[in-house]
Amino acid sequence: MAKRRISDFEGFQKVLNNAKSIIVLTGAGISSESGIPTFRGEGGWWKTYRSADLATPQAFQSNPALVWEFYNYRRHVALNTHPNNAHKALSEYEKKCKSEGHHLAIITQNVDGLHKRAGSENIIELHGNLFKTICTNRKCIFIDENYDDPICKAFKLMSFRDPNVKDDSLPVVMKEDLPKCKKCNSLVRPYIVWFGENLDHEVLRKSRELVESCDLCLVVGTSSVVYPAAMFAPLVAQRGMPVAEFNITEEPADNSFAFHFPGKCGTTLQKALG
Ligand code: BJW
Ligand code: ZN
């Protein structure tokens, strides 16, 4: 196995300049400098709350109001942030690639919409989108998109309650007041892939195609523990193609990656693509 190159910006740029098809796999860390909490790091969602209470179909089944409260709050947080230097560097580099007849695609686990707001065009959203809903009526399954904050009147002036703490002072939103489908008036749910749910078939097919054909992969701000996304970069490395990881951690997620750039990706990614 070739020696891993740490913070070798010059070496990386030689590889980058020769790459014709680049994939960039992003995770919550790329949005942390915009002020959006990650999941597993310091102050991460899953450090305070149990993912089983908020991000599973079972949680929605047993307490749709709590789950909606969480996603309503997440929408509010995302709407009040802006793309940072890392999002912008990727969007700029996609334009450069386009002008040179090369290809760059972002495969993101994020649901915050910040890549699109930064101007990126080629984006695959693996885990859905905070600003989309899907109807729970199996005969309807209408997918809608909206940026309303709050998502419905019932959440007006409500913050997100800690599900670990019993707090009777906060009003509970009634099921009939939760967001409804425009077409059939049934309850809608966030268009998010929760634990134990399959990713959209077409989204997964397109991602696999890119993973199997790219000649360079960048992995940015992800703990690489959630499947199937976690296997994409190792699959690229197994084909003998270079993988460059950008993460604040000193340790790489996988020893087979060619490059590792420790530090905040708002800085390292901009320098690497600049
Ligand atoms: C910085 C930084 C800075 C910070 N600069 N870096 C195979 C093996 C084992 C388990 C499974 C398997 N296949 C499937 C599973 C089960 C499960 C899974 O993977 N579990 C693992 C946890 C073990 N996977 C699933 O259930 C998936 N479904 C599936 O595979 O269907 C088939 C199936 C059906 C039935 C049963 C079993 C399988 C679906 C996964 C859906 C994930 N959903 C979530 C929540 C919804 C989205 C939302 O609400 O926002 O998606 S979980 C959460 O984790 C979210 C994220 O997209 C995802 C990944 O997290 P991410 O982005 O990596 O964030 P963090 O916080 O973990 O890491 C941040 C990183 O950034 C850190 O490394 C920091 O160091 C770094 N960082 N600041 C650079 N400034
Ligand atoms: Zn409907």
Side-chain angles (χ1 to χ4, degrees):
M1 190 189 301
K3 197 175 174 315
R4 185 179 326 114
R5 291 182 266 175
I6 299 165
S7 300
D8 178 5
F9 288 95
E10 232 175 86
F12 171 74
Q13 276 156 2
K14 282 186 192 141
V15 173
L16 182 70
N17 291 336
N18 288 322
K20 303 231 172 347
S21 177
I22 304 167
I23 61 168
V24 187
L25 185 67
T26 67
I30 197 170
S31 296
S32 70
E33 288 164 68
S34 292
I36 299 185
T38 60
F39 291 93
R40 296 168 185 82
E42 264 320 292
W45 296 114
W46 303 159
K47 286 271 176 184
T48 316
Y49 309 115
R50 279 169 11 111
S51 58
D53 291 339
L54 298 165
T56 61
Q58 294 78 12
F60 189 72
Q61 185 80 32
S62 67
N63 197 343
L66 177 72
V67 174
W68 258 124
E69 198 175 292
F70 177 59
Y71 282 96
N72 177 62
Y73 179 65
R74 298 266 309 280
R75 284 162 64 102
H76 175 78
V77 171
L79 281 172
N80 285 284
T81 59
H82 301 282
N84 63 49
N85 286 341
H87 299 106
K88 289 178 197 164
L90 287 175
S91 150
E92 287 304 311
Y93 204 78
E94 182 183 337
K95 289 187 183 74
K96 183 173 184 281
C97 283
K98 216 172 167 182
S99 72
E100 292 170 356
H102 295 180
H103 187 265
L104 183 145
I106 295 172
I107 305 177
T108 188
Q109 297 168 86
N110 298 346
V111 295
D112 55 32
L114 287 181
H115 285 302
K116 193 172 168 196
R117 282 171 59 195
S120 290
E121 288 176 359
N122 243 331
I123 310 163
I124 296 181
E125 292 180 320
L126 284 176
H127 294 162
N129 187 301
L130 279 175
F131 302 100
K132 289 184 180 168
T133 57
I134 180 163
C135 180
T136 57
N137 174 354
R138 280 165 196 228
K139 289 188 186 139
C140 176
I141 58 166
F142 175 61
I143 296 170
D144 201 7
E145 182 171 355
N146 79 69
Y147 292 82
D148 302 342
D149 181 27
I151 188 160
C152 62
K153 269 195 284 182
F155 287 115
K156 217 163 205 162
L157 302 176
M158 276 189 63
S159 62
F160 174 61
R161 85 187 63 220
D162 182 343
N164 303 320
V165 179
K166 195 164 161 40
D167 183 353
D168 294 330
S169 67
L170 285 170
V172 175
V173 172
M174 305 303 286
K175 200 170 174 183
E176 55 271 25
D177 295 329
L178 291 174
K180 294 281 170 8
C181 176
K182 258 189 209 156
K183 291 215 165 155
C184 74
N185 208 36
S186 302
L187 176 69
V188 296
R189 57 163 272 184
Y191 189 67
I192 298 283
V193 182
W194 287 323
F195 282 112
E197 292 189 311
N198 286 315
L199 275 67
D200 178 84
H201 184 75
E202 193 50 21
V203 161
L204 200 52
R205 189 195 62 75
K206 279 191 206 152
S207 306
R208 285 203 174 126
E209 208 172 88
L210 289 166
V211 166
E212 283 160 17
S213 61
C214 68
D215 53 9
L216 173 62
C217 171
L218 277 57
V219 191
V220 187
T222 174
S223 56
S224 302
V225 295
V226 174
Y227 287 83
M231 70 185 184
F232 292 165
L235 282 173
V236 175
Q238 272 169 35
R239 286 197 296 112
M241 296 298 159
V243 175
E245 185 178 16
F246 298 79
N247 199 301
I248 39 169
T249 56
E250 295 292 328
E251 277 306 302
D254 191 304
N255 283 327
S256 64
F257 295 167
F259 296 91
H260 186 72
F261 296 97
K264 290 187 173 184
C265 61
T267 307
T268 54
L269 197 58
Q270 206 176 34
K271 188 169 170 191
L273 300 179

